[in-house]
């Protein structure tokens, strides 16, 4: 299965109760985009570096916020070293780290934070189980 298929069919799928994530991507630890939805924000290298640093040093992003494509998200509770969650208005972001990549899911209402977490983290757990 191609990385784009994972984005299109697993991250951008319809969530339980209806709706879809706003945008999604799979990005390598080196910052290279493996696959993304058409409207995933163009990120800067320093934004990806800061996100990766937070996985190694949980809490790194909390004082400044998480930035992606110039959009600032307030960092909320995640799972140290595994998941970063952010909130902005009625939407937010979930980032799951796997052995080789970061999975991004961005949502807006009516999709809930829990629905976004479920979609992103379920695929991330699967990829980890596959050694990816």
């Amino acid at each position: 299965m191609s990385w784009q298929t994972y984005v299109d069919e697993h991250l951008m799928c319809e969530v339980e109760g209806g709706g879809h994530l706003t945008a999604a991507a799979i990005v390598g630890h080196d910052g290279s985009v493996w696959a993304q939805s058409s409207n995933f924000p163009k990120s800067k290298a320093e934004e990806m570096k800061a996100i990766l640093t937070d996985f190694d040093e949980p809490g790194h992003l909390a004082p400044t916020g998480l930035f992606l494509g110039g959009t600032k998200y307030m960092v909320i509770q995640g799972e140290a070293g595994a998941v970063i969650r952010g909130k902005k208005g009625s939407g937010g972001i979930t980032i799951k780290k796997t052995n080789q990549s970061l999975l991004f899911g961005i949502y807006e209402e009516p999709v809930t934070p829990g629905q976004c977490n479920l979609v992103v983290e379920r695929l991330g757990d699967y990829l980890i189980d596959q050694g990816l």
Side-chain angles (χ1 to χ4, degrees):
M1 188 180 311
S2 76
W3 292 113
Q4 192 62 50
T5 303
Y6 281 114
V7 169
D8 296 342
E9 295 182 7
H10 296 280
L11 293 175
M12 296 300 291
C13 63
E14 184 170 333
V15 297
E16 191 175 324
H20 297 84
L21 297 183
T22 307
I26 301 174
V27 178
H29 288 180
D30 63 358
S32 63
V33 176
W34 294 3
Q36 64 184 18
S37 61
S38 59
N39 55 350
F40 188 76
K42 177 82 174 120
S43 61
K44 300 176 183 78
E46 59 268 19
E47 293 172 336
M48 286 297 167
K49 186 173 185 283
I51 290 166
L52 276 165
T53 298
D54 196 79
F55 280 109
D56 295 332
E57 303 167 26
H60 171 77
L61 291 174
T64 59
L66 182 160
F67 286 85
L68 184 67
T71 299
K72 181 180 180 179
Y73 296 88
M74 178 179 67
V75 178
I76 55 177
Q77 183 180 5
E79 295 170 33
V83 179
I84 299 172
R85 298 183 182 111
K87 187 91 174 111
K88 180 180 183 339
S90 62
I93 188 168
T94 302
I95 308 167
K96 170 79 174 178
K97 183 179 183 187
T98 72
N99 301 336
Q100 299 176 17
S101 66
L102 301 176
L103 278 64
F104 290 81
I106 300 172
Y107 67 93
E108 290 291 338
E109 285 185 338
V111 174
T112 67
Q115 289 170 317
C116 181
N117 295 343
L118 187 66
V119 167
V120 174
E121 294 173 37
R122 185 171 45 203
L123 179 58
D125 290 341
Y126 169 78
L127 293 176
I128 290 168
D129 289 345
Q130 301 304 307
L132 302 168

